[in-house]
Structure formats: C-alpha cells, structure tokens
C-alpha cells in the first residue's frame, strides 16, 4: 500500500508505503524539512517525520522535466530521516 504527502507540489513529495494487509493508511506526524542544517553543505536538506506504525519512506524530488526518487532505508520503521543533497533555491 502507498500514500503520498506533497511537501511542495511539483517539487518535493514524500511517499509512505506499509505492509500489505493494513486497511487504513498510517498517520504521519512531525514532518519537518530543515534546509541547510550544516553550513558545510548549503545545498542539503533533511526531512524527518514519524508515523503511528512501521512504514517505508521514499522522497521524490522534481523540477520541470527532471525527477528522481530516493528510498534511503528499505526497512519498515516509525521514525524517518531522509537527506536530500543538491537542492538549490528558486
């Protein structure tokens, strides 16, 4: 099963997947995007979130005709942290 949370429509989407058999999507909370949390990596961002039951997170980043998806950890868990590199303002 899969659900999508659009953080910035057309630019950044968070995908949640969970084991088959769960009839109801998980509750997503504490979603945060920290832009440039480290001055040594100014084009980086960290996305963190939590869910009420184990899920797998994928992050889709896109702009115009370029889109890519990352799944940093294939494990199902409740607390997630995803690092996105190469993000530029504008």
């Amino acid at each position: 099963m899969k659900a999508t949370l659009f953080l910035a429509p057309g630019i950044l989407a968070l995908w949640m997947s969970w084991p088959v058999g769960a009839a109801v999507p998980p509750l997503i909370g504490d979603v945060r995007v920290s832009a440039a949390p480290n001055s040594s990596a100014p084009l980086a961002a960290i996305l963190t979130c939590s869910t009420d039951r184990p899920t797998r997170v994928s992050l889709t980043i896109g702009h115009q005709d370029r889109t890519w998806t990352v799944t940093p950890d294939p494990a199902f868990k409740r607390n997630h942290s995803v690092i996105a590199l190469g993000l530029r303002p504008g």
Side-chain angles (χ1 to χ4, degrees), residues 2-6 13-17 56-60 69:
K2 216 176 229 194
T4 307
L5 174 66
F6 292 100
L14 175 70
W15 298 84
M16 293 281 183
S17 57
R56 178 184 304 137
V57 170
S58 296
L59 184 64
T60 297
T69 300

Side-chain angles (χ1 to χ4, degrees), residues 25-88:
L27 295 175
I28 303 169
D30 299 323
V31 177
R32 298 170 199 255
V33 177
S34 303
N38 184 331
S39 62
S40 298
L43 301 180
I46 298 177
L47 177 121
T48 58
C49 65
S50 62
T51 55
D52 66 335
R53 63 176 175 267
T55 57
R56 178 184 304 137
V57 170
S58 296
L59 184 64
T60 297
I61 304 163
H63 179 67
Q64 296 173 349
D65 62 341
R66 296 177 20 184
T67 302
W68 61 99
T69 300
V70 293
T71 304
D73 186 351
F76 288 97
K77 55 188 183 177
R78 293 183 61 201
N79 295 304
H80 305 276
S81 180
V82 180
I83 298 172
L85 301 173
L87 299 178
R88 296 186 190 109

